Every structure is written in C-alpha cells, then in structure tokens.
Amino acid sequence: MQSSEDISNALGDIINRYRPELKPFEDVYRHIHAHPELSGEEKQTSQLAADHLTSLGYEVHTKIGGCGVAGVLHNGAGPTILLRADMDALPVEEKTGLEYASKVIATDINGKRQHVMHACGHDTHITTLMAASTLLQTARDYWSGTLVCVFQPAEEHLNGAQAMLEDGLYDKVPKPDLVLAQHVMRMRAGTINLRAGPLLTAGDAYDVRVFGRGGHGSQPQTTIDPIVLGSSIVTRLQSIVSREVTPGKFAIVTVGSIHAGQSHNIIPAHLDLQLNVRTFDTAVRERVCAAIYRIIEAECQAAGVEQKPDIQLTFSTPSTINDEKTIDTLKKTFQPYFGKDVVETELPTASEDFSLLATAVGAPYVMWMFGGTDPETWDEAVKEGTQDALPSNHSPFFAPVMQPTLKTGVDAYALGALSFLQIK
C-alpha cells in the first residue's frame, strides 16, 4: 500500500512533467490585468477562457448566467471534480505603477463611469485555472474521471454562482462529486493556507431608507429630522455585536454609507444607509439580521415617523465551511509537495459565493488561499511587524508578484484535482 508521501510524489511527478511553459501564461496574466471587466460584464475575459478550453478539446459551454463559462473534459470512469475561478474586477483606480497597470474606465450597472482594476487577484485565478486545465489535459493518460473547469462571473456582487445555477449549469455539465477553488491573498508568495471548517463569513447587505419630514433648518420643531434619526440608528446598530452576540462568537455590523440632504439649511425628507453584516454561525446570523430590522423600525417609531422604513436585502451569501474530510485528503498530498509552504493563517472575514456551486448538488467543497506578496517584502515586513500594512485585496496597490504566485496557483489547482481523480 502506497504511503501518502509516495502518492504525493507520484502526483508531483505528473505536475512537474506536464506543467506547461508558464511564460505564455504570464503574458495572459498581464493582458487580463490590463483589461479588467466589472461584475457581469466579463465578455472579453470569458471569451479568452472559452477559446483556451476549446483549443484543448474541452466540451465548452458559454454565456451561463451571463458571462459564465464551463469546460468539460470527459476522461473515462471516475469522479467528477469541478475547479472554479472567478473573473470579475472591481471599481477601483489602480495605483500600483505596474507597466501593465489597468487604465480602463467603464460604465457600471448604475450607469456610473468607474475606473476598473483587478484589485482582488481574480486575474491570477483565471490564469492559473487556464494553465491547470492545460496541465490536466496533457496528463490525461495518467488519470480518469471527469474534469469541469468553471469560470464564474460576478463574484464581487455575490450573485454570479447563483446566476449560473439558475441558468441551468448542471443541465449543461455533469454534477460534481467535489468542488474546489482557490484565492490569492496577502500572504507570502508560494505559500498555501489549508484550513478545515469555517473559512469565509456569510455576507448580508442592506439598503435602507428612513423617512422624516423635511423643512427649514431654522424651524426644526416643524420637522422630523432623518439625520438625527439616522445617527441614532447607526449608534444603536453598533450595540448588536457587543450586547446581543455571545462573547467569542464572530459578528460584524458595518454602516458603509450614510447620506441625506443637499444643503446646509434644509432638513431633508429622508436618509439612506447601506449596511453590511458578516457572520460564521447560522444562529448568530439570524439574530443579528433580525436585530437590524428591529432597531431600525423601533428608532423610526421613537422619532414619530409614520412611514415605515424601506429595508432591502441587496445581497446574501452563506459562509464558506471547508469540508474536513476533503481537507484531510488534501493535506496528505499538499504537505509533502509544498512542504513548509503549507501554512495556517488567520481567518479572512471576506465572503464568497462559490460554495453554492457545491451545496446546490449536495457536494463537499474546499477553498484554499495562496500567497501573492513578494517573499522578500513579506519576510522584511514580518521582521518589522508591519505585514498588516502591506497592500491587501481591494487595495489600489494590490499587485501579486508574478512568480512564484502563478506557479503555486497552477500546481495547487492541478494537485487538488489529481488528489481526487482516479490515478492510473
């Protein structure tokens, strides 16, 4: 019986023998980085991915849930493994100074002109999955099963996975036995973070409008001031975590936007808030979200507002909970292959929607993180205790170093798939 190290070595041999030359993929990365597209507008990016899969002989499906792409490689009997990469960029003006920095300005879904940047590293996800799809196709004599490569749109809006599902993703491609994904992070390039259990938070966002009674700034007694009301709501919302959530349980309530009025001497008729909630535990999530409704409605009533507040849930996605059994298997192959570069870092508190691709068909799933920060820069920052000041995801300065980031991502995707496909 082969040991886990022997198995990992055998898989490593396949990866090192069939890993494609990465220079052309570095050019692909530069192109994608310089030509980012906003959520739901990933037309050029999806065409690039689809053309690549088609050239390899994959069965390719396009325009799933908008700009989604799925490529299927049938390779005999065995499990079906789905690898997913997200494609969308962010409305951020790039300030990295890279020669291939984005200069793109595009119109968003609200008709607003925005600078666009791959500030979350999705360009590395696209590139590494394209290269891994090449590796696994050329190494197909060594494994059997079915490989599904999904390039997902609109992750930043947390609705791309659901859109693909609603558009019949699993009517077009085989239902997976396992779903795997990865995400580049502010970590030392070359490192991999494998963690069982909670990884990413559930995310819930609300658009809120509270009403008052507008009037002249010199006669507040004739009005119901929504700015005073809104200030009370913001203050009271911050008591949810400190006073309603069990100590030790994770929860965040953030008021990311507040706006009312247009003039210094006019009390406006309404105020708009945008709220964001992050939680891991389902019960905590339900309690926090219920408290938001209760507090807003009660504060409006206390202010004497007759019109009920308008509270709209704009997006909602579940927490990402990595399957423990799958993580155990991955550790048996990843740790011998990547060695000391397999690390466990602090939990990121971001949110993702990729888990829906698995839970929709009852399949287990795992997402791992891989580093994109220049190793020398990272080591120096750790020495000085300033690593938290390094550019992170969504920063205009976020720029994963080309290598070893891409190589690590390619190898991780391929090794992840090979860990579960049937090896001949």
Side-chain angles (χ1 to χ4, degrees):
M1 183 177 180
Q2 284 185 308
S3 68
S4 58
E5 185 171 354
D6 289 337
I7 294 171
S8 181
N9 288 338
L11 300 183
D13 288 343
I14 295 172
I15 290 169
N16 287 310
R17 186 184 310 173
Y18 291 98
R19 183 192 307 111
E21 170 60 45
L22 293 183
K23 287 295 183 183
F25 288 99
E26 291 180 4
D27 292 338
V28 169
Y29 173 78
R30 292 186 185 94
H31 175 81
I32 296 172
H33 188 91
H35 299 86
E37 295 175 295
L38 291 170
S39 302
E41 299 295 331
E42 309 92 336
K43 297 180 180 63
Q44 294 182 29
T45 308
S46 62
Q47 189 63 56
L48 184 70
D51 289 347
H52 176 73
L53 293 172
T54 299
S55 72
L56 295 172
Y58 282 70
E59 173 193 302
V60 179
H61 304 269
T62 62
K63 299 181 181 179
I64 310 173
C67 295
V69 174
V72 183
L73 182 60
H74 297 283
N75 195 34
T80 297
I81 307 301
L82 189 152
L83 302 178
R84 173 273 206 174
D86 38 7
M87 299 187 292
D88 51 335
L90 287 160
V92 174
E93 182 177 3
E94 182 160 358
K95 298 181 180 179
T96 63
L98 293 168
E99 62 179 1
Y100 52 89
S102 169
K103 297 178 176 61
V104 171
I105 299 176
T107 302
D108 67 15
I109 58 174
N110 297 314
K112 184 178 180 180
R113 297 288 285 171
Q114 301 272 19
H115 289 274
V116 187
M117 174 193 174
H118 268 296
C120 201
H122 295 184
D123 44 358
T124 66
H125 307 166
I126 302 160
T127 306
T128 53
L129 184 53
M130 288 174 64
S133 67
T134 300
L135 189 162
L136 292 164
Q137 190 272 346
T138 54
R140 62 192 180 280
D141 289 344
Y142 291 86
W143 60 268
S144 62
T146 300
L147 178 67
V148 181
C149 295
V150 168
F151 293 84
Q152 181 201 309
E155 183 279 326
E156 295 294 351
H157 285 178
L158 297 177
N159 60 10
Q162 186 63 39
M164 292 189 76
L165 292 169
E166 291 176 356
D167 199 23
L169 171 64
Y170 292 129
D171 295 328
K172 299 174 174 66
V173 306
K175 294 178 181 178
D177 297 302
L178 176 67
V179 177
L180 301 174
Q182 63 183 14
H183 206 300
V184 69
M185 299 292 286
R186 180 181 60 190
M187 295 163 44
R188 191 180 195 274
T191 59
I192 300 276
N193 175 21
L194 280 176
R195 178 189 288 271
L199 179 73
L200 299 172
T201 59
D204 297 282
Y206 297 90
D207 285 350
V208 179
R209 172 165 288 186
V210 295
F211 302 92
R213 184 166 63 238
H216 201 288
S218 67
Q219 297 178 322
Q221 75 280 6
T222 66
T223 72
I224 298 176
D225 192 336
I227 295 178
V228 174
L229 168 58
S231 300
S232 298
I233 290 172
V234 171
T235 301
R236 186 59 183 265
L237 288 174
Q238 299 313 306
S239 72
I240 296 174
V241 175
S242 65
R243 290 295 177 268
E244 298 194 42
V245 176
T246 302
K249 294 285 188 178
F250 178 88
I252 294 174
V253 177
T254 297
V255 180
S257 173
I258 180 169
H259 178 78
Q262 303 292 335
S263 176
H264 60 278
N265 68 340
I266 300 174
I267 292 173
H270 65 264
L271 175 140
D272 293 323
L273 297 164
Q274 290 183 303
L275 316 178
N276 188 264
V277 179
R278 306 285 172 143
T279 55
F280 282 116
D281 184 84
T282 300
V284 171
R285 182 186 190 188
E286 292 174 353
R287 182 166 185 173
V288 169
C289 292
I292 287 172
Y293 282 89
R294 187 191 74 238
I295 287 170
I296 294 172
E297 291 171 356
E299 289 291 345
C300 288
Q301 186 177 18
V305 178
E306 295 182 359
Q307 186 172 353
K308 289 186 176 181
D310 182 18
I311 307 173
Q312 299 290 334
L313 179 64
T314 54
F315 72 74
S316 181
T317 193
S319 55
T320 302
I321 311 294
N322 278 342
D323 180 66
E324 187 171 355
K325 184 178 179 181
T326 304
I327 286 288
D328 288 342
T329 300
L330 287 172
K331 284 182 176 179
K332 291 175 182 177
T333 54
F334 274 50
Q335 286 178 335
Y337 183 80
F338 291 106
K340 61 181 178 57
D341 287 326
V342 176
V343 299
E344 190 164 303
T345 64
E346 293 182 2
L347 285 170
T349 51
S351 300
E352 257 274 6
D353 66 346
F354 108 95
S355 64
L356 296 174
L357 298 176
T359 57
V361 291
Y365 65 86
V366 158
M367 172 180 279
W368 59 80
M369 306 300 180
F370 67 114
T373 305
D374 176 74
E376 291 186 8
T377 301
W378 178 263
D379 292 344
E380 184 63 26
V382 170
K383 182 179 178 181
E384 296 178 359
T386 58
Q387 64 267 33
D388 286 346
L390 295 172
S392 62
N393 304 68
H394 291 218
S395 163
F397 299 99
F398 186 67
V401 64
M402 193 81 71
Q403 296 295 358
T405 305
L406 294 182
K407 179 179 179 295
T408 302
V410 173
D411 290 2
Y413 262 139
L415 184 57
L418 290 170
S419 297
F420 299 95
L421 290 166
Q422 189 169 308
I423 304 302
K424 296 180 181 178

